[in-house]
Amino acid sequence: MTNPVATVLAALPVKDLVNAKQRLVPALTPDERHDLAAAMLEDVLDALDAVEDVAVHLVTRDPEVLALASRRGTPCLTESVNRGHTEAVALGQRVAAERGFARFLTIPGDVPCATAEEIRALIAALRGGPGVAFVPSLSGIGTNAALLEPPDVMPLKFGEPSFSNHLGSARARGLVPTVLELPGIGLDVDAPDDLRLLLVRGPRTRAGRLLRARGIAARLAAAG
């Protein structure tokens, strides 16, 4: 749900749920991947909705995601076509700047172990004036969250190795990037081993409960 007096616009790009998580094809059925993607997205939205001063927006054109957003009362920024994660984030940045938000935050919808406490820590990492803060993926290769003040202080470009690229781009603009290693935000669930880590780190998340309820956790354990 959006916060009308927020100073941070948070954008979550979501392409669709039907074709989500292709790297999990060896471990999950199409229906399981779809339902896991939806559960993870709601986990992230739950964490964001618990944080003060954040106006959450989904960036999507998928009818199912739009319906989910409507049910939750989450505003959406709708693209005319799916142009990719980088372009969706750029749309969020433009809207944040146009609407006068002081800060822009982007976080993906597949980090179900993200917590409100982690998001608050990220927001607190910038204390006024131009600045950027990044949360790397657990591998250190990807960028799992970015906070910009002001929203257009630098462009963002995703795709590995986005983390090192973002650091270099920030420094080239005279910015000193802040880096936070946050285990919940850092865990983006892409591969079967990530599912096992999710079960350890986020057993009470929607995604973790789904893995157990659908027998996926037991199947993963049996497979070693």
Side-chain angles (χ1 to χ4, degrees):
M1 187 176 299
T2 189
N3 180 344
V5 296
T7 62
V8 181
L9 186 147
L12 280 74
V14 184
K15 183 177 181 181
D16 62 53
L17 299 179
V18 172
N19 298 302
K21 299 293 136 190
Q22 290 295 311
R23 289 172 58 188
L24 291 175
V25 167
L28 304 180
T29 67
D31 284 347
E32 288 169 343
R33 286 186 284 110
H34 168 280
D35 294 349
L36 176 64
M40 292 194 296
L41 175 59
E42 291 216 66
D43 278 325
V44 178
L45 289 172
D46 288 344
L48 282 164
D49 284 347
V51 180
E52 308 76 11
D53 201 33
V54 175
V56 184
H57 291 65
L58 291 174
V59 185
T60 189
R61 64 189 302 269
D62 179 66
E64 187 174 1
V65 178
L66 291 170
L68 182 154
S70 177
R71 173 171 58 80
R72 292 186 60 108
T74 304
C76 289
L77 306 177
T78 306
E79 297 182 291
S80 57
V81 295
N82 284 325
R83 295 182 297 161
H85 191 90
T86 294
E87 289 77 9
V89 170
L91 172 60
Q93 284 184 265
R94 289 196 299 274
V95 170
E98 291 167 358
R99 295 182 183 176
F101 283 86
R103 296 176 171 186
F104 172 77
L105 169 67
T106 186
I107 185 170
D110 63 351
V111 289
C113 295
T115 65
E117 290 74 19
E118 287 186 336
I119 296 167
R120 291 188 187 103
L122 175 57
I123 291 173
L126 297 184
R127 300 186 178 278
V132 293
F134 300 109
V135 179
S137 62
L138 294 185
S139 68
I141 298 174
T143 306
N144 280 16
L147 177 69
L148 281 63
E149 182 179 356
D152 57 359
V153 72
M154 65 173 281
L156 297 170
K157 184 175 182 180
F158 293 85
E160 297 180 351
S162 67
F163 181 63
S164 60
N165 288 344
H166 283 142
L167 294 182
S169 180
R171 289 167 180 149
R173 288 168 171 77
L175 300 168
V176 179
T178 297
V179 174
L180 288 84
E181 294 186 2
L182 301 172
I185 295 176
L187 176 58
D188 49 319
V189 178
D190 284 324
D193 283 345
D194 299 328
L195 295 174
R196 296 183 176 91
L197 195 53
L198 164 59
L199 285 164
V200 173
R201 294 190 176 183
R204 297 182 182 180
T205 61
R206 293 174 187 254
R209 295 196 302 269
L210 180 143
L211 293 180
R212 293 194 305 277
R214 299 283 286 273
I216 300 169
R219 198 166 74 222
L220 290 168

